[in-house]
Amino acid sequence: MKRTIKDLKALRGKVVLLRVDFNVPLDENENITDATRIINEIPTINYLSEQGAKIVIISHLGRPEGFELRKSLWPVALYLMKNLKCNVSFCNTVLGDEAVERIKALREGNVLLLENIRFYKEETQCDKKFSKKLASMADIFVDDAFGVAHRENASNYGVARLLPNAVGFLVEQEIENLTKIIEEPKQPFVALIGGAKVKSKVKILERFIEKADVILIGGAMAYTFLRAKGENIGTSIYYPESERDAKLIMEKAEMAGKKLLLPVDHLVVRDSDKKQKPFIVESMKGDMAGFDIGPKTMKLYAKELKNAGKIFWNGPMGLFEKEEYSQGTIAMAQAIASSKAFSVVGGGDTVSAVNKAGVAGRIGFISTGGGATLEYIEKGSLPALDIIQERVK
Ligand code: 3PG
């Protein structure tokens, strides 16, 4: 059992570096389209604030290459300013004099949100000097960024080694609920995996096969698998660097006698004529690009979900942010909600799809992690959490 913020004593006046996952979806006008990850973090922030800590929040947003204005955490700062009882300020840098001065000026119980930590390449490199600088700004480190705990980054793994540490309420809840799905004995275990983060997810999926009985693939992920199978995917998005892994996963699944299903029809548009309406095909060709699963696939996958004993879902089935491509994803959300299985749904976009479908209340547990949740279910641990101190009995 990890040490939690409740185990930390005498927080008044202490600078707490709180790592969170505020990697939330934003629309083209930088409006937050789903605030679940922020809402779920509020209890931890409120608790630390009530204890009189000076709270310095670190998060990433997206995968920027250097500074990108569109990946600024400013919209999140505005959200916190509106929704927290304590005073919230924003610092448009993470290190340097300005950040140091702003932390010095921070009053007990108040929050300072720092700019996107991934504007610094040292973050994902887990640079030692960078981790040291981060640690030097605080007295205590609290890791509540479950969604990124499968990554060894400077602001979680790197800094945790250098400061007294604990997890927040969000991580505590995640561990409690994900342990439930791991221990749930009802079979079959159906995993529905989609989305576009193919490269990192196929690696986890390769090991995840051993846990699941049925694997349903959709979204951009599916086109890489279909292509690896030798099918024509037209001009659909696919990730050539993951084709080999996809092939390996299919072979592994076959050898292990696991059912791995790929879409049997698709909602496509023709590249050459963007004004044309999307239409359904069973086999793609030429200038067709897939944007959602088709009705036959929806039916096929819904049947597997209905018969499941436990379900894990991560990644939308198509470009669901656009109404015309959202049917497959919404259908899957509804199928999971209607199933009697214990279900866990994870990942920023997937959670947002569940909210869009209006079925959040009928899901067993909504996890804030995507890849992290997949890896936790597979291994029962995550590198950035392993490093957090155990609770003293
Ligand atoms: C997520 O959205 O899954 C987490 O925030 C991690 O993001 P990453 O895959 O870009 O590391």
Side-chain angles (χ1 to χ4, degrees):
M1 186 73 200
K2 293 289 161 196
R3 192 155 85 147
T4 79
I5 45 176
K6 282 255 163 112
D7 301 311
L8 300 173
K9 303 286 173 247
L11 283 169
R12 187 155 301 279
K14 296 269 169 60
V15 177
V16 172
L17 197 62
L18 174 64
R19 178 49 158 115
V20 301
D21 184 350
F22 284 163
N23 188 14
V24 288
L26 300 172
D27 66 14
E28 51 281 0
N29 301 315
E30 271 119 60
N31 296 311
I32 298 169
T33 54
D34 190 278
T36 307
R37 281 179 166 171
I38 310 178
I39 295 166
N40 289 4
E41 192 53 43
I42 290 180
T44 296
I45 301 175
N46 281 346
Y47 177 81
L48 291 171
S49 173
E50 281 153 18
Q51 299 299 306
K54 298 174 178 179
I55 310 152
V56 178
I57 301 184
I58 289 190
S59 177
H60 69 285
L61 178 73
R63 294 175 174 179
E65 306 220 346
F67 177 79
E68 279 179 43
L69 191 58
R70 291 185 62 84
K71 303 264 166 68
S72 168
L73 279 168
W74 174 239
V76 175
L78 287 177
Y79 185 96
L80 293 176
M81 285 169 192
K82 278 190 210 134
N83 293 283
L84 286 178
K85 281 178 276 171
C86 62
N87 182 283
V88 177
S89 52
F90 180 66
C91 180
N92 58 9
T93 172
V94 172
L95 298 173
D97 294 345
E98 197 192 335
V100 172
E101 286 311 313
R102 299 285 293 275
I103 295 170
K104 256 192 210 154
L106 200 56
R107 299 230 174 122
E108 288 178 6
N110 287 345
V111 165
L112 176 69
L113 173 67
L114 303 179
E115 185 50 288
N116 190 346
I117 188 84
R118 285 200 183 157
F119 287 168
Y120 300 77
K121 63 177 183 336
E122 294 90 338
E123 160 69 352
T124 47
Q125 293 166 346
C126 199
D127 184 89
K128 279 196 180 137
K129 269 196 200 152
F130 187 72
S131 308
K132 251 190 185 167
K133 278 190 199 158
L134 291 175
S136 71
M137 304 194 305
D139 303 303
I140 296 162
F141 174 67
V142 172
D143 195 348
D144 220 13
F146 183 82
V148 75
H150 57 320
R151 312 229 181 266
E152 289 179 22
N153 289 165
S155 68
N156 56 5
Y157 189 85
V159 83
R161 286 185 298 184
L162 307 171
L163 286 174
N165 56 49
V167 298
F169 295 139
L170 183 148
V171 164
E172 194 185 14
Q173 282 265 312
E174 292 274 0
I175 294 178
E176 207 179 293
N177 283 284
L178 296 181
T179 306
K180 260 194 221 162
I181 194 164
I182 295 171
E183 289 174 358
E184 169 61 60
K186 273 201 269 160
Q187 303 293 341
F189 182 13
V190 179
L192 174 63
I193 311 289
K197 285 182 181 172
V198 179
K199 199 172 165 192
S200 54
K201 270 191 253 172
V202 283
K203 289 274 169 231
I204 310 174
L205 205 55
E206 198 188 318
R207 298 185 305 260
F208 194 80
I209 282 186
E210 283 154 36
K211 295 275 166 210
D213 302 299
V214 180
I215 298 133
L216 312 171
I217 309 268
M221 168 98 58
Y223 307 122
T224 304
F225 275 77
L226 287 167
R227 173 134 179 153
K229 239 181 115 187
E231 286 196 24
N232 189 340
I233 57 161
T235 55
S236 308
I237 295 178
Y238 89 105
Y239 298 84
E241 68 276 25
S242 299
E243 223 181 302
R244 235 186 108 242
D245 287 326
K247 211 168 176 180
L248 212 76
I249 290 170
M250 289 187 283
E251 282 166 11
K252 212 171 157 185
E254 200 182 336
M255 264 160 44
K258 306 284 167 104
K259 205 172 186 181
L260 188 149
L261 301 183
L262 297 176
V264 290
D265 59 349
H266 319 269
L267 182 72
V268 298
V269 285
R270 281 190 190 278
D271 272 10
S272 51
D273 186 1
K274 291 245 165 78
K275 283 186 194 117
Q276 205 181 0
K277 277 202 170 152
F279 57 101
I280 305 290
V281 291
E282 285 182 13
S283 339
M284 283 186 261
K285 56 179 182 251
D287 58 355
M288 291 175 189
F291 283 92
D292 196 4
I293 53 172
K296 278 193 181 163
T297 312
M298 290 180 215
K299 222 170 148 192
L300 180 73
Y301 286 10
K303 197 173 154 209
E304 297 292 340
L305 293 165
K306 190 174 175 221
N307 296 332
K310 53 180 175 177
I311 298 171
F312 172 63
W313 177 27
N314 167 248
M317 297 293 105
L319 195 65
F320 83 102
E321 301 90 326
K322 294 220 157 82
E323 202 61 37
E324 63 268 41
Y325 310 128
S326 64
Q327 259 199 358
T329 305
I330 300 292
M332 293 302 97
Q334 284 162 344
I336 294 172
S338 316
S339 162
K340 289 194 180 77
F342 177 65
S343 56
V344 170
V345 169
D349 287 339
T350 323
V351 172
S352 144
V354 161
N355 288 332
K356 198 171 168 184
V359 298
R362 287 155 63 201
I363 303 292
F365 176 62
I366 298 192
S367 170
T368 52
T373 311
L374 198 62
E375 189 163 324
Y376 191 86
I377 298 174
E378 188 260 317
K379 283 204 299 208
S381 67
L382 293 173
L385 300 182
D386 285 350
I387 208 147
I388 301 292
Q389 287 162 261
E390 292 294 319
R391 176 181 277 164
V392 183
K393 283 174 200 145

